[in-house]
Amino acid sequence: MGGDDVVPPTTERLRLRRLTIADVDALVELDSDPEVMRFLTGGVATPLATVRDEQLPRLLAQYDRYPGLGWWAAHDRESGEFLGWLALDPSEDGAEAELGYRLRRSTWGRGLATEGSRALVRYAFDAVGVQRVWAETMTVNERSRRVMVKAGLRHVRTFHQQWDDPIPGTEQGEVEYEVRAEEWATVGQERPAARRAR
């Protein structure tokens, strides 16, 4: 697995950096957009206390436990503007990572989620050395599913979960996509390398 010197990639338009406690307000603002949260909570915002006292402390602790993996704030490389986050959320043993992304609605339709996800998938295999990258979303979330495919993942299953408070579309289930290290050794060579952070 990668060590402390492993740094997340940058892309043509994105710069990634570790989250800090100072990101609370930006994360709360991101989660306050009903459209951003539509397929996660049915549009309900994440409370400030949840971000500050539960989510961020857990995410910050991952950096030391799983070097090279975790969540990163995504910024526009030109303007420095906070655009959202991208993630490689580690499994308990750090051998796998769940690809995730959440970007401001104003950035949608520009291919930024795909650009960042492709870079992170390559980084996960080539720099960190994970065995599998996977992602999940609601079956009805076509936009997110397209990002997964463009990032090199393939559909492996559709499944149903029981929720206490189901949101519209839940009845169609969830989907899981993945790409494994042995597959990446073949298909990954076809994708251009992301730039490394300087």
Side-chain angles (χ1 to χ4, degrees):
M1 302 297 280
D4 292 331
D5 58 341
V6 179
V7 294
T10 61
T11 71
E12 183 179 346
R13 296 177 292 172
L14 296 173
R15 177 178 62 84
L16 303 183
R17 63 158 177 83
R18 285 184 171 190
L19 293 170
T20 72
I21 201 68
D23 291 313
V24 167
D25 290 342
L27 295 172
V28 170
E29 180 188 355
L30 176 67
D31 283 12
S32 70
D33 185 330
E35 279 302 305
V36 169
M37 302 301 288
R38 178 179 171 197
F39 296 110
L40 298 162
T41 64
V44 177
T46 308
L48 173 96
T50 300
V51 175
R52 182 191 60 215
D53 303 333
E54 298 174 28
Q55 293 180 348
L56 258 181
R58 177 181 65 82
L59 298 176
L60 297 181
Q62 286 183 339
Y63 293 129
D64 290 332
R65 188 172 177 198
Y66 303 100
L69 297 176
W71 294 38
W72 296 279
H75 291 265
D76 184 290
R77 284 193 68 184
E78 299 257 328
S79 69
E81 177 189 6
F82 173 83
L83 304 179
W85 55 259
L86 290 111
L88 289 169
D89 208 13
S91 60
E92 188 61 32
D93 63 1
E96 299 183 358
E98 180 182 6
L99 176 68
Y101 34 83
R102 191 174 304 168
L103 300 177
R104 286 180 170 171
R105 193 180 352 166
S106 61
T107 71
W108 294 2
R110 295 167 50 195
L112 292 172
T114 297
E115 183 177 314
S117 294
R118 282 178 173 167
L120 281 188
V121 170
R122 174 175 288 279
Y123 160 84
F125 290 116
D126 296 352
V128 182
V130 301
Q131 295 304 302
R132 174 180 180 252
V133 174
W134 61 282
E136 279 182 13
T137 190
M138 293 179 70
T139 299
V140 294
N141 191 351
E142 293 289 344
R143 191 172 286 192
S144 187
R145 294 179 68 174
R146 282 196 297 272
V147 170
M148 294 172 191
V149 171
K150 290 178 180 178
L153 283 65
R154 60 180 172 79
H155 178 261
V156 291
R157 67 176 180 138
T158 300
F159 60 101
H160 292 79
Q161 293 180 299
Q162 294 298 317
W163 303 96
D164 292 334
D165 52 351
I167 61 177
T170 298
E171 67 282 356
Q172 295 188 43
E174 312 278 322
V175 287
E176 180 179 341
Y177 286 70
E178 72 171 18
V179 59
R180 294 180 177 271
E182 57 270 24
E183 297 170 293
W184 186 256
T186 303
V187 302
Q189 305 310 315
E190 301 169 8
R191 299 204 181 279
R195 300 177 184 177
R196 295 285 164 212
R198 293 184 177 86

